[in-house]
């Protein structure tokens, strides 16, 4: 299992568009990818679940990745967060 | 055979319009997040009235604090996103009045929020409102069935399993 921590920089947080992009990225991998805000968890491959986290700027997000392609998935998710959020 | 001939068989489902306006193809939305179906399949409504109502019975899953979008899970398990306007997240709530909150159980036709369409337009935003099924990949086919002027409650999407 791999774990990434990332603090959201985007002033608008994870609204609809970034949620869609994040989900699309996560769907490229076989691994189970979970987002955890500390109070709520979501499957990163489900758009509605990701949106319902209500992630705001400054929130610390923990991403856990588990599965056969977890190495690539974790680095791709980390790169995605840094580039987009 | 009427429109509701598949009713109760769980095979074909219908989603109704959450707001009044001209229902158009999702391809007409300028934002590729919607037109390329990244958030799922659906249609868009060019609203003539800002009242956004529940398109089905279900539970409010996501109410953005800015009021510009609302997500609900219908009793049939469809995850519906209603996104009022394009880039309207940056209005930070201005022009939106939230009525329902996350976790609320709503009935079809219940008012969820109200958008001040004139104010949104004056601020320079397109008010076109995508109505999307976020869990589209769980269905075989999702099709716009009423690309015309619609009232709240008119059928707009046909969904088959």
């Amino acid at each position: 299992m791999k774990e990434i921590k990332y603090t959201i920089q985007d002033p608008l947080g994870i609204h609809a568009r970034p949620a869609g992009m994040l989900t699309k990225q996560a769907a490229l991998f076989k691994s189970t990818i979970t987002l955890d805000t500390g109070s709520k968890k979501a499957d990163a491959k489900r758009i509605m679940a990701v949106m319902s986290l209500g992630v705001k700027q400054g929130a610390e997000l923990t991403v856990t990745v588990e599965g056969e392609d977890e190495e690539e998935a974790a680095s791709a998710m980390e790169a995605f967060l840094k580039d987009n959020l | 055979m009427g429109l509701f001939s598949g009713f109760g068989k769980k095979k074909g489902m219908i989603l109704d319009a959450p707001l009044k306006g001209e229902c158009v193809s999702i391809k007409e939305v300028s934002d590729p997040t919607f037109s390329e179906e990244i958030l799922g399949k659906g249609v868009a409504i060019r609203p003539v009235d800002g009242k956004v109502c529940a398109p089905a019975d279900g539970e409010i899953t996501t109410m953005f604090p800015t009021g510009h979008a609302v997500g609900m899970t219908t009793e049939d398990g469809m995850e519906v996103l209603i996104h009022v306007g394009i880039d309207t997240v940056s209005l930070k709530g201005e022009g939106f009045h939230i009525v329902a909150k996350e976790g609320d159980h709503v009935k079809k036709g219940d008012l969820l929020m109200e958008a001040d369409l004139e104010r949104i337009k004056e601020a320079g935003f397109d008010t076109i409102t995508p109505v999307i099924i976020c869990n589209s990949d769980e269905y075989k086919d999702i099709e716009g069935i009423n690309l015309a002027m619609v009232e709240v409650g008119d059928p707009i999407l046909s969904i088959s399993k």
Side-chain angles (χ1 to χ4, degrees):
Chain A
M1 194 190 77
K2 304 281 290 177
E3 191 178 286
I4 308 155
K5 282 191 190 294
Y6 181 78
T7 304
I8 302 296
Q9 309 296 318
D10 190 312
L12 299 173
I14 304 185
H15 56 100
R17 184 183 305 127
M21 288 161 59
L22 187 150
T23 306
K24 204 179 170 196
Q25 181 71 50
L28 298 175
F29 301 96
K30 285 180 185 155
S31 294
T32 303
I33 305 174
T34 309
L35 308 180
D36 189 345
T37 62
S39 55
K40 252 175 158 179
K41 281 187 189 187
D43 177 348
K45 297 180 186 178
R46 296 189 68 87
I47 294 166
M48 191 63 81
V50 173
M51 285 192 293
S52 72
L53 290 174
V55 180
K56 294 192 175 70
Q57 183 181 30
E60 193 187 49
L61 200 62
T62 305
V63 186
T64 53
V65 187
E66 199 162 8
E68 56 184 277
D69 55 2
E70 62 188 29
E71 291 286 340
E72 302 119 87
S75 44
M77 292 310 291
E78 189 166 29
F80 174 87
L81 289 168
K82 284 183 179 161
D83 289 349
N84 297 285
L85 286 160
Chain B
M1 296 289 275
L3 197 54
F4 299 102
S5 55
F7 217 70
K9 290 179 193 164
K10 281 277 165 202
K11 215 176 168 215
M13 295 184 287
I14 296 286
L15 189 76
D16 291 341
L19 70 182
K20 180 180 176 177
E22 186 194 2
C23 185
V24 296
S25 160
I26 196 71
K27 307 273 185 236
E28 295 203 16
V29 181
S30 60
D31 182 345
T33 315
F34 296 105
S35 57
E36 291 173 14
E37 301 179 337
I38 291 168
L39 290 169
K41 293 182 181 172
V43 287
I45 294 178
R46 295 189 202 279
V48 295
D49 186 285
K51 286 190 184 69
V52 177
C53 303
D57 293 356
E59 188 180 341
I60 303 299
T61 322
T62 307
M63 176 58 83
F64 283 87
T66 48
H68 76 291
V70 56
M72 69 173 288
T73 305
T74 71
E75 278 185 351
D76 290 329
M78 288 187 274
E79 296 174 352
V80 183
L81 176 71
I82 304 157
H83 193 285
V84 181
I86 302 305
D87 286 326
T88 41
V89 62
S90 36
L91 284 169
K92 298 192 170 134
E94 198 195 311
F96 293 98
H97 173 65
I98 297 172
V99 177
K101 57 182 190 303
E102 256 169 55
D104 278 1
H105 289 270
V106 294
K107 289 279 175 202
K108 189 167 104 177
D110 283 357
L111 185 64
L112 305 182
M113 52 121 137
E114 204 164 344
D116 184 338
L117 300 176
E118 289 312 312
R119 203 158 147 193
I120 297 164
K121 279 183 214 161
E122 272 166 29
F125 294 88
D126 183 354
T127 56
I128 195 166
T129 300
V131 180
I132 304 292
I133 310 288
C134 290
N135 56 338
S136 283
D137 50 4
E138 290 175 27
Y139 302 101
K140 200 170 89 193
D141 196 32
I142 295 169
E143 198 185 351
I145 50 170
N146 206 352
L147 302 179
M149 279 301 290
V150 293
E151 300 281 338
V152 169
D154 283 351
I156 52 166
L157 280 176
S158 157
I159 301 102
S160 51
K161 280 223 168 192

